[in-house]
Amino acid sequence: MEISQPRIRSLMRQASRVEEAGKRAAAEQLYRQILDEAPETEEAWLGLARMAADPAAQEDAYERALELNPENKEAKVGLADMRGEPVPEAWRKQVEAAKAPEPETEAAPVMKKEVETAVPAADGHEEVYEFTCYRHPDRGTSLRCYNCHKPICASCTNKTSVGYICPDCKRELEDKFFNASAADYLIATLVSLPLSLMAGYLVWRLGGGFFFIFIMIFVGGAVGGLIGRLTKKAIGGRRGRYLPHLVVVMMILGVIVPGLPLLLSVAAGGVPLFAFITPGVYLFVACGSAFYWMK
Ligand SMILES: [Zn+2]
Ligand SMILES: [Zn+2]
């Protein structure tokens, strides 16, 4: 199978080195890590099937490999062996032949760099893992936090769009990103609630009618965007994890409160449900827009 990502390719090579070195647990961990990132990697499922300590996990991994490629002989032979079923000798020979050392491919330069940065063990042999996790000194790893470059094990990584990040850096970045204080939440409430109530009141005044429903798609976005931007401005542009949600709640209240008499008379059967379409469209569009601006 074609493995397109250089990172996955390099991890696969490392995994097979670890596997060849007979470090089953480490190899299993590496294959699992690869599959976390790229579950379509047929070769990694085979590797996991060979290395997994748990027979159920082995069987499952062979099955996943077969799902990806129903013609996969190694998976067929492996599964048959596990289940004590007979397999054609030709298949077994094919699998043996495939295990012969593969020629170097264009992935080689990537590997070379990795080997160069590897820390040689005391006996002069290169360690399979270059680093140990800074939070788990007993765990070998080849991953580093892209932010602080400290080595981290697979269970300490947080995947971001730019790479892996350690838990400390993640917290730090989040603190930096969400910089709103409790006062900002109060201010956001005091700004967005009256605005939302005003908008909600006007929306109810419009009533139903196709024209208003249609217009609401545009007006709702503009009003929601305005409420979002004004609120954001009032809190100095700071971000809060739940500030967008807060403003959306205020906007929902802004529609419900002025509409309460109407909502109650619906229960008594006095108002057609049609009357709720305009406020509904307004809320849907405006909340989405405000949420966007508050982020
Ligand atoms: Zn870090
Ligand atoms: Zn760790």
Side-chain angles (χ1 to χ4, degrees):
M1 200 197 80
E2 230 349 67
I3 301 172
S4 50
Q5 293 159 272
R7 196 186 130 66
I8 297 299
R9 220 158 41 199
S10 131
L11 278 173
M12 273 303 293
R13 291 182 154 262
Q14 186 160 14
S16 46
R17 269 196 306 178
V18 177
E19 182 179 341
E20 278 161 32
K23 303 191 177 180
R24 296 185 62 96
E28 181 181 348
Q29 191 202 348
L30 266 170
Y31 283 126
R32 284 191 190 280
Q33 187 183 316
I34 291 163
L35 291 167
D36 260 5
E37 281 180 48
E40 305 292 292
T41 317
E42 188 186 331
E43 288 300 318
W45 284 114
L46 291 177
L48 180 60
R50 290 190 299 265
M51 292 297 112
D54 172 26
Q58 282 184 349
E59 199 169 341
D60 179 61
Y62 276 134
E63 277 164 359
R64 295 294 297 265
L66 271 183
E67 268 167 39
L68 291 168
N69 173 12
E71 289 310 305
N72 191 306
K73 292 287 185 300
E74 184 178 344
K76 282 187 178 181
V77 172
L79 267 185
D81 284 349
M82 288 193 75
R83 293 166 180 170
E85 294 161 4
V87 281
E89 204 48 41
W91 288 9
R92 213 178 281 283
K93 284 216 174 83
Q94 234 175 306
V95 171
E96 289 307 316
K99 274 183 188 160
E102 49 177 314
E104 290 287 295
T105 63
E106 83 271 34
V110 179
M111 280 313 295
K112 193 156 173 283
K113 203 171 136 233
E114 271 194 8
V115 174
E116 277 164 5
T117 55
V119 180
D123 61 1
H125 285 88
E126 182 200 319
E127 273 291 324
V128 177
Y129 281 130
E130 282 92 331
F131 321 112
T132 49
C133 175
Y134 83 93
R135 301 173 79 231
H136 302 96
D138 57 323
R139 293 189 197 167
T141 184
S142 46
L143 301 173
R144 279 168 179 259
C145 168
Y146 85 85
N147 192 52
C148 66
H149 304 296
K150 276 186 284 197
I152 35 175
C153 70
S155 61
C156 289
T157 56
N158 297 283
K159 207 172 167 194
T160 72
S161 54
V162 283
Y164 286 118
I165 191 168
C166 72
D168 291 343
C169 287
K170 182 176 180 241
R171 205 166 307 127
E172 203 177 294
L173 286 181
E174 276 179 357
D175 289 349
K176 232 183 272 172
F177 185 77
F178 294 123
N179 49 3
S181 64
D184 289 327
Y185 278 81
L186 183 65
I187 295 167
T189 306
L190 293 178
V191 173
S192 61
L193 184 58
L195 289 173
S196 303
L197 283 168
M198 268 194 291
Y201 176 76
L202 291 174
V203 167
W204 283 112
R205 290 287 302 257
L206 287 179
F210 282 114
F211 175 72
F212 289 123
I213 293 168
F214 182 72
I215 282 291
M216 218 22 99
I217 296 172
F218 304 97
V219 176
V223 171
L226 186 69
I227 294 177
R229 270 177 290 179
L230 286 175
T231 310
K232 189 93 180 178
K233 200 160 183 182
I235 55 169
R238 285 181 287 276
R239 285 170 302 252
R241 206 185 289 266
Y242 303 112
L243 273 175
H245 308 78
L246 175 84
V247 172
V248 164
V249 170
M250 291 309 140
M251 291 179 68
I252 293 171
L253 281 178
V255 168
I256 290 181
V257 172
L260 263 182
L262 217 57
L263 287 164
L264 291 176
S265 55
V266 163
V271 181
L273 281 172
F274 186 72
F276 293 88
I277 296 179
T278 310
V281 171
Y282 157 77
L283 255 193
F284 185 77
V285 180
C287 285
S289 179
F291 194 91
Y292 170 82
W293 282 104
M294 286 307 295
K295 273 212 284 197

